[in-house]
């Protein structure tokens, strides 16, 4: 039986309502849209970095490339303990520095002897990448790889031969360790190093040397679901600082420019634009905010008491995830091959706070009244804002680019946090919004903002007690399509 005959043959009331739903097409997508792999990445929001290599044992941030592989010898390495601590911190994935600038490979690569095979750890039979990847899988975290393009150990760095080696290293990592969610290419490129004993300075042309398009094709072929990160994408962009925050206005779309005025490439981007992105930009290139839980990326004993507190991490979460970006938090293992006690405690505190804050949308049972509902259709009704489901959304008629929605709470609630999410499969549509609360006998504006995108968190300095909250979309490039409107208390 076709839908039409079903409509005709059924009792008129329900059937025509049904028909009306089916007859109201969804809003046309606006502008550049996220790919399927980017959409999956948007849902992660918080994940971690592990910076671990010979530097952990030499107390350095950047190894020169002449470190003996025998230096790498963690005494109690325990991937389960590390991943468990990350999970307690709310992390949804983990990206390991499989190779940092010093060139030491944490897996027994066939491309060089400068790797774990020649270390005393696990009698030269160990594989840090395998142990972290397997532990991540066991505990339900996604696994990603950081593979530094700059290699201060490799004799051929600067020549075409090394680029082949780099691709081969990627091939090993992308074929031998299960699904990879993110491939991370840092932007530090070229300079002094050991280079197989040459001990000299080597500069490369960042735009052409690595042949990035060929490398990215390889990643696509071997791990089609992985997002590729660099200063300039192609999937995820660096936010332009290493402090863990995006700008207040942060668009997922971005047309990066090279710092030298030429085309952008890893290591060559006008970073001060990266925190905001480009409104109506031609590429969907959302921001990732990387930061370390300590001052350095690698573990240093002297920084054991300089670990960020749960409150500091929460602040960074609001300034990254709350601004339409992701939060990539580095937690470096120590010489034992474990996370330090202070780091573990901070992770736990941060995770607890995240979980308790977002456990329940305080507006869950509210009555929602919208100024306009697309085609008067149930499919786009305002109740979709409160169902904790990103796939359902409130949308208005095409002409209703400014619109408002009011949450009428059954009883007054206390909140200090609002979460908004756009239905980003339809693009970034909203340009500006205002939030009001009902105070006494009038509306009072409490906040206003610009970009929403995948997630916008609006904090209040104090708890607000009210029985009505209003969201006004004051400016939009296409009729709004909003998935979520939530009230929370972070205390
Ligand atoms: C940068 C590197 O130079 C740092 O050592 C660190 O790995 C950071 C995450 O990326 O490009
Ligand atoms: Ca929804």
């Amino acid at each position: 039986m076709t839908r039409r005959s079903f409509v005709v043959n059924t009792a008129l009331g329900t059937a025509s309502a049904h028909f009306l739903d089916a007859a109201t097409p969804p809003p046309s997508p606006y502008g550049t849209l996220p790919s399927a792999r980017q959409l999956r990445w948007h849902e992660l929001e918080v994940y971690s970095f592990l910076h671990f290599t010979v530097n952990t044992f030499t107390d350095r941030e950047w190894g020169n490339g002449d470190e003996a592989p025998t230096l790498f010898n963690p005494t109690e390495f325990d991937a389960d303990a590390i991943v468990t601590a990350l999970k307690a911190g709310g992390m949804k994935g983990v990206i390991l520095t499989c190779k940092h600038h010093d060139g030491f490979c944490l897996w027994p690569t066939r491309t060089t002897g400068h790797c774990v095979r020649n270390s005393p750890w696990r009698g030269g039979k160990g594989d840090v990448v395998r142990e972290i990847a397997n532990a991540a899988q066991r505990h339900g975290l996604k696994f990603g790889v950081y593979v530094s393009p700059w290699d201060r150990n490799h004799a051929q760095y600067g020549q075409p031969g090394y680029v082949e080696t780099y691709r081969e290293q990627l091939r090993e990592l992308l074929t031998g360790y299960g699904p990879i969610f993110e491939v991370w290419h840092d932007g530090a490129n070229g300079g002094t190093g050991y280079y197989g004993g040459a001990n000299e300075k080597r500069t490369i042309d960042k735009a052409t040397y690595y042949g990035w398009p060929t490398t990215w094709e390889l990643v696509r072929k071997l791990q089609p679901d992985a997002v590729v990160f660099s200063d300039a994408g192609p999937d995820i962009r660096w936010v332009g600082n290493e402090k863990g925050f995006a700008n207040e206005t942060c668009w997922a779309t971005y047309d990066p420019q090279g710092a030298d005025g030429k085309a952008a490439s890893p290591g060559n981007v006008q970073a001060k634009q990266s925190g905001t992105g480009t409104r109506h930009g031609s590429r969907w290139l959302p921001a990732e905010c990387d930061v370390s839980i300590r001052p350095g990326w690698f573990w240093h004993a002297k920084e054991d008491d300089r670990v960020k507190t749960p409150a500091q991490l929460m602040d960074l979460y609001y300034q990254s995830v709350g601004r339409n970006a992701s939060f990539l938090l580095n937690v470096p293992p120590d010489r034992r091959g474990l996370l330090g006690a202070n780091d573990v405690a901070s992770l736990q505190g941060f995770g607890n706070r995240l979980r308790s804050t977002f456990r329940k949308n305080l507006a869950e049972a509210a009555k929602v009244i919208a100024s306009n509902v697309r085609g008067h259709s149930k499919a786009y009704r305002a109740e979709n804002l409160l169902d904790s489901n990103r796939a359902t959304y409130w949308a208005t008629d095409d002409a209703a680019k400014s619109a408002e929605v009011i949450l009428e709470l059954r009883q007054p609630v206390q909140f200090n946090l609002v979460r908004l999410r756009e239905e980003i499969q339809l693009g970034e549509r909203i340009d500006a919004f205002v939030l009001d609360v009902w105070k006494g006998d009038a509306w009072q504006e409490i906040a206003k903002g610009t970009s929403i995108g995948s997630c916008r968190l609006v904090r209040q300095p104090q708890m607000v007690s009210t029985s009505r909250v209003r969201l006004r979309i004051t400016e939009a490039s296409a009729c709004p399509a909003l998935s979520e409107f939530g009230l929370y208390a972070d205390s």
Side-chain angles (χ1 to χ4, degrees):
M1 195 192 281
T2 64
R3 185 165 190 86
R4 189 167 288 272
S5 64
F6 168 82
V7 170
V8 171
N9 293 336
T10 336
L12 203 63
T14 14
S16 55
H18 237 116
F19 189 68
L20 202 64
D21 273 3
T24 307
S28 307
Y30 176 77
T32 315
L33 303 178
S35 64
R37 63 174 78 84
Q38 288 171 323
L39 280 172
R40 278 191 294 274
W41 170 88
H42 273 292
E43 297 203 4
L44 298 177
E45 299 188 334
V46 191
Y47 43 91
S48 59
F49 239 164
L50 293 176
H51 271 65
F52 190 38
T53 188
V54 286
N55 297 345
T56 313
F57 300 86
T58 58
D59 217 8
R60 297 185 72 170
E61 279 290 305
W62 281 9
N64 187 50
D66 56 357
E67 293 77 15
T70 48
L71 285 168
F72 186 81
N73 195 15
T75 49
E76 298 168 53
F77 179 76
D78 184 343
D80 274 303
I82 293 173
V83 172
T84 305
L86 298 178
K87 189 171 184 171
M91 303 292 139
K92 300 285 171 45
V94 49
I95 301 176
L96 174 68
T97 54
C98 301
K99 183 184 83 166
H100 202 252
H101 310 328
D102 54 81
F104 182 76
C105 297
L106 294 186
W107 77 104
T109 174
R110 288 185 299 271
T111 62
T112 174
H114 198 58
C115 71
V116 277
R117 195 174 47 249
N118 289 312
S119 81
W121 178 66
R122 303 247 195 278
K125 301 268 185 286
D127 184 342
V128 182
V129 180
R130 174 138 351 261
E131 292 197 30
I132 296 288
N134 288 353
Q137 197 150 50
R138 276 195 294 279
H139 297 283
L141 272 71
K142 303 211 179 283
F143 180 64
V145 293
Y146 171 121
V147 198
S148 170
W150 185 22
D151 189 321
R152 304 174 91 189
N153 172 264
H154 206 278
Q156 286 181 293
Y157 183 78
Q159 293 155 35
Y162 166 71
V163 177
E164 287 311 311
T165 302
Y166 181 68
R167 291 194 185 127
E168 194 47 39
Q169 293 176 341
L170 277 171
R171 181 190 297 279
E172 290 179 353
L173 291 168
L174 302 183
T175 52
Y177 298 91
I180 303 292
F181 85 99
E182 179 162 334
V183 178
W184 216 92
H185 304 292
D186 59 275
N189 278 311
T192 57
Y194 171 69
Y195 303 126
N199 287 307
E200 59 189 10
K201 184 171 179 190
R202 293 186 181 173
T203 41
I204 50 103
D205 179 345
K206 290 170 183 164
T208 56
Y209 175 56
Y210 294 104
W212 284 116
T214 309
T215 302
W216 292 335
E217 259 171 52
L218 179 73
V219 178
R220 289 285 191 257
K221 191 175 109 198
L222 301 177
Q223 292 278 345
D225 293 343
V227 288
V228 177
F229 164 96
S230 84
D231 297 347
D235 300 312
I236 308 298
R237 76 178 192 256
W238 183 45
V239 75
N241 67 72
E242 292 186 331
K243 293 189 176 141
F245 67 88
N247 288 354
E248 177 77 47
T249 295
C250 182
W251 306 107
T253 49
Y254 188 31
D255 287 312
Q257 308 292 315
D260 60 2
K262 298 188 192 146
S265 61
N268 177 27
V269 74
Q270 269 178 32
K272 66 176 193 306
Q273 277 308 309
S274 303
T276 304
T278 316
R279 180 63 178 135
H280 314 296
S282 70
R283 296 167 65 188
W284 191 274
L285 206 51
E288 176 183 85
C289 304
D290 61 327
V291 64
S292 185
I293 200 165
R294 291 156 170 253
W297 292 101
F298 287 92
W299 177 83
H300 307 286
K302 62 177 180 300
E303 295 179 354
D304 276 350
D305 56 2
R306 297 183 64 194
V307 174
K308 293 186 175 67
T309 61
Q312 287 174 308
L313 297 178
M314 209 62 198
D315 264 354
L316 292 176
Y317 174 87
Y318 287 127
Q319 295 173 69
S320 54
V321 175
R323 296 177 176 173
N324 195 23
S326 71
F327 183 29
L328 171 52
L329 177 65
N330 177 62
V331 196
D334 60 17
R335 289 183 187 166
R336 296 171 306 165
L338 293 170
L339 303 181
N342 292 346
D343 310 60
V344 171
S346 268
L347 281 169
Q348 181 74 58
F350 172 60
N352 289 348
R353 197 156 146 193
L354 267 186
R355 285 181 289 270
S356 70
T357 300
F358 292 105
R359 181 164 297 132
K360 189 173 150 64
N361 178 357
L362 300 171
E364 195 179 60
K367 189 171 157 205
V368 240
I369 304 147
S371 59
N372 179 294
V373 172
R374 187 173 186 79
H376 301 289
S377 163
K378 264 168 102 179
Y380 312 107
R381 62 185 176 177
E383 285 77 3
N384 289 343
L385 292 165
L386 303 180
D387 63 0
S388 301
N389 178 0
R390 285 184 187 230
T392 60
Y393 57 94
W394 163 59
T396 63
D397 290 319
D398 286 346
K401 288 191 190 167
S402 46
E404 61 178 56
V405 63
I406 296 170
L407 302 178
E408 288 209 352
L409 302 149
R410 312 265 167 210
Q411 54 224 359
V413 296
Q414 285 221 323
F415 70 93
N416 59 0
L417 184 63
V418 178
R419 182 161 71 188
L420 302 170
R421 293 189 193 279
E422 277 187 270
E423 172 44 283
I424 54 173
Q425 299 200 50
L426 298 174
E428 282 181 322
R429 311 168 73 87
I430 297 171
D431 292 277
F433 66 92
V434 177
L435 284 161
D436 309 309
V437 296
W438 188 255
K439 272 272 173 247
D441 56 3
W443 289 110
Q444 187 189 317
E445 181 178 315
I446 57 161
K448 57 177 165 204
T450 49
S451 49
I452 297 178
S454 178
C455 180
R456 163 69 88 152
L457 296 166
V458 183
R459 267 188 299 177
Q460 289 299 294
Q462 274 95 243
M463 286 291 172
V464 178
S465 184
T466 187
S467 57
R468 277 196 225 163
V469 184
R470 181 169 72 175
L471 168 69
R472 284 183 282 139
I473 310 294
T474 50
E475 208 186 317
S477 298
C479 70
L482 205 68
S483 288
E484 186 178 328
F485 185 1
L487 309 181
Y488 303 91
D490 174 10
S491 45

